Amino acid sequence: MEQYEPDRLPPARPAAARRSFRTGRAALTRRSLLRASAGGALAAGGLGALSACGIPAAGDTRGGVPAEDRSQKEKTVNFSNWTEYMDVDDSGRRHPTLEAFTERTGITVEYTEDINDNTEFFGKIKPQLAAGQDTGRDVIVLTDWLAARLIRLGWVQKLDPSNLPNAFTNLSAQFRNPDWDPGRAYSYPWQGISTVIAYNKKALDGVEVRTLSDLLDNPKLKGRVGLLTEMRDTVGMTLLDMDKDPATFGADDYDAAIARLQKAVDRGQVRRFTGNDYTADLTKGDFAACLAWAGDVVQLKADNPDIGFLVPDSGYMTSSDNLLIPNKARHKTNAERLIDYYFEPRPAAELAAYINFVCPVDGVKDELAKIDEDAANNPLILPDRAMQARSRAFRSLSSKEETVFEEKFAKLTGA
C-alpha cells in the first residue's frame, strides 16, 4: 500500500506567464503562480520533508510564538507582498496608501515585493520558522492553502482583536469564516479571487452560454473551450454545476466531477487547460468561452468590448490572499495597525481601484466611485449581496486527499 507523508504535497504543474496590460505594469494573477497546487519546492524540500529533518509534521499546533513586541520603541513594520499588488497613483507615484499610513501613524513601512510564488517564498522563510527564528518580516501575504498550513503548523501569531476594529467591523461576510481560520483569528484577507465564465462575443457567434454545462456539452463550442490548470477552480466550478457543494463534497463527488470533465476532454470539447495565459486565447477568439479569474476579466474588458463574463446560477468559486504575522515578528502591534488600516474604506478603495481584484472590505463603494465609478459598479470588484451569496469556497483537504485529488486532476489535464 502506498504510504503518504504528512503534509507532503503533490508535484507542481507549470506556473503561468506574466502579462502586461494597457497600464504598462506587469500584472500577476495570484492564482496563476501555483496558487493552490503545491510546487516541487514544497513537495521535495518543504512540508513533506519536515519529519525527516526532525521538525514535527503539521498538526493542530495553533497558537504561534510571539517575540518581544518592539512596536513602541521601533516605529517600523516590515511588509512582504506579491509583485504589483499595491496601489500606484495616476502620476506613477508608488504606494500612496503606504505613504498615507506613515504620515498618520509615524510608522515607516519597509515594503518588499519579494513574493512571486507561494512555494518559492515558503522556501525562503521555512528555515527560520522551523527553527523558531525571526523571518525579518512582520506581515506576509499568502494564498489560502498555504496560509492554512502555516496556521496549522503554529507558525503564525494569533491576532489581537483590540488592534483590529476596522477589520472586524468592515470585513465582507463572504470572507469571514474560512474553514481553515474560522472567525479570522490568525489572518485577514488582502484581496479576494473569483472564478467566473468569460467569453468572446464575436467568437461565440450567437451561441448561448449560461452554464458550465454549455461549455462542456455544446457541440458548437467543440475545441473552443478553455479550463484552468487550477484544480480547485475547475473541479470546484464543475461540482457546483453538478449541484454539489465544494465546501462539503466527498471523494465520490470528486471522482464524478473528474469523470464529467474527462468525457468533455475525450470528445475534444476542451481546447486546453491553461494558467492565466487563457487571456491571449480569449482575446484572439481561439477560446469562445473559458473559466477565468475576475481580475483578468476586468482588465480584458477594458481593452476589448467583445469580452464578457457571466456567473452561473449554480454559483462561482472564491478564494483569497491573506495577511498574516509570522512567529517571532518584532513589530506585531505595528503590523496589526497596518492590517487594520487597509480595512478603512478610503485605503481599501484606493487599493481596489488599482488592483481590480475582489475587495474584501464592506462600505467602500462611495469612496471607490470618487476614484473610478466603473470600478465601483463592477460586481467583479465589489460583489453585491446577491452575488456574494452565490460565492463558494473549496474545502480544506487532508494531506492524503490533496495528493490523491491532484494526481487525478493532473492525469485529466495531461500534466
Side-chain angles (χ1 to χ4, degrees):
M1 180 180 294
E2 184 177 1
Q3 298 297 313
Y4 293 92
E5 296 177 47
D7 287 291
R8 183 183 185 277
L9 300 179
R13 295 187 298 274
R18 294 172 182 260
R19 72 194 189 283
S20 293
F21 284 98
R22 69 189 188 284
T23 60
R25 74 183 188 272
L28 288 176
T29 299
R30 307 284 79 76
R31 299 296 286 267
S32 72
L33 295 169
L34 298 180
R35 191 216 147 273
S37 60
L42 226 95
L47 292 172
L50 295 182
S51 297
C53 59
I55 301 164
D60 191 8
T61 55
R62 300 183 180 201
V65 181
E68 177 191 355
D69 190 349
R70 305 182 185 184
S71 294
Q72 286 292 330
K73 300 175 183 177
E74 301 173 5
K75 294 295 184 179
T76 188
V77 60
N78 297 296
F79 184 3
S80 281
N81 202 353
W82 296 76
T83 55
E84 303 296 343
Y85 216 15
M86 183 63 76
D87 56 310
V88 176
D89 69 13
D90 291 339
S91 68
R93 182 168 58 103
R94 295 180 64 78
H95 318 327
T97 56
L98 289 177
E99 290 182 6
F101 173 79
T102 298
E103 289 173 6
R104 182 198 298 182
T105 64
I107 298 170
T108 300
V109 182
E110 298 297 334
Y111 184 71
T112 308
E113 294 182 336
D114 61 345
I115 307 178
N116 291 304
D117 178 297
N118 281 294
T119 59
E120 178 187 33
F121 182 71
F122 182 78
K124 292 180 183 179
I125 62 175
K126 180 190 69 176
Q128 292 97 331
L129 290 172
Q133 298 172 354
D134 176 23
T135 65
R137 299 166 176 89
D138 300 306
V139 185
I140 56 178
V141 179
L142 300 177
T143 308
D144 43 18
W145 69 266
L146 186 54
R149 289 181 177 274
L150 262 66
I151 291 170
R152 188 169 61 176
L153 282 162
W155 286 356
V156 294
Q157 297 188 54
K158 194 168 187 177
L159 301 172
D160 183 347
S162 67
N163 293 327
L164 297 157
N166 292 298
F168 179 81
T169 301
N170 297 331
L171 176 60
S172 175
Q174 74 181 107
F175 296 104
R176 281 191 177 271
N177 285 293
D179 65 354
W180 47 270
D181 187 16
R184 292 287 182 178
Y186 296 86
S187 69
Y188 270 92
W190 176 246
Q191 298 290 290
I193 309 161
S194 297
T195 305
V196 297
I197 294 175
Y199 58 84
N200 183 314
K201 271 188 288 189
K202 186 179 291 185
L204 280 178
D205 194 25
V207 176
E208 185 176 26
V209 170
R210 299 179 62 186
T211 68
L212 184 62
S213 289
D214 293 329
L215 272 65
L216 299 180
D217 297 333
N218 192 328
K220 293 181 179 179
L221 298 179
K222 183 176 179 179
R224 299 191 296 136
V225 168
L227 301 177
L228 294 167
T229 54
E230 195 56 71
M231 181 271 283
R232 286 164 174 80
D233 292 319
T234 293
V235 174
M237 291 292 281
T238 305
L239 287 166
L240 287 171
D241 190 67
M242 298 170 66
D243 200 28
K244 302 294 184 181
D245 188 348
T248 59
F249 72 92
D252 289 345
D253 298 325
Y254 185 89
D255 288 345
I258 291 292
R260 171 104 170 83
L261 291 164
Q262 189 68 61
K263 287 180 181 178
V265 170
D266 292 344
R267 288 198 310 269
Q269 190 76 7
V270 179
R271 184 180 182 91
R272 67 189 186 102
F273 290 81
T274 74
N276 79 319
D277 48 333
Y278 67 81
T279 56
D281 296 75
L282 188 63
T283 300
K284 290 186 297 184
D286 291 342
F287 285 164
C290 63
L291 293 182
W293 296 310
D296 294 334
V297 177
V298 172
Q299 298 185 55
L300 289 173
K301 280 173 60 66
D303 287 334
N304 188 338
D306 289 327
I307 303 301
F309 78 95
L310 64 94
V311 177
D313 289 341
S314 57
Y316 66 102
M317 298 302 297
T318 297
S319 59
S320 58
D321 287 329
N322 307 277
L323 297 150
L324 305 104
I325 299 176
N327 281 358
K328 297 291 186 176
R330 298 185 180 189
H331 311 103
K332 181 174 184 284
T333 299
N334 291 345
E336 289 167 339
R337 292 183 67 183
L338 181 65
I339 293 171
D340 194 59
Y341 167 74
Y342 279 105
F343 281 82
E344 296 178 18
R346 180 65 187 182
E350 292 181 22
L351 198 62
Y354 181 75
I355 295 178
N356 293 160
F357 281 69
V358 180
C359 179
V361 183
D362 280 342
V364 304
K365 186 168 186 176
D366 289 346
E367 291 291 344
L368 185 54
K370 297 174 186 176
I371 304 168
D372 186 336
E373 191 167 351
D374 288 341
N377 292 311
N378 191 325
L380 297 182
I381 299 174
L382 295 183
D384 59 21
R385 290 187 183 278
M387 187 165 174
Q388 288 183 24
R390 294 156 72 186
S391 168
R392 297 292 183 270
F394 203 91
R395 71 171 175 83
S396 296
L397 302 177
S398 69
S399 300
K400 182 175 179 179
E401 283 179 322
E402 189 147 26
T403 299
V404 171
F405 290 176
E406 286 282 8
E407 286 178 352
K408 289 179 178 180
F409 188 71
K411 184 178 179 181
L412 169 74
T413 64

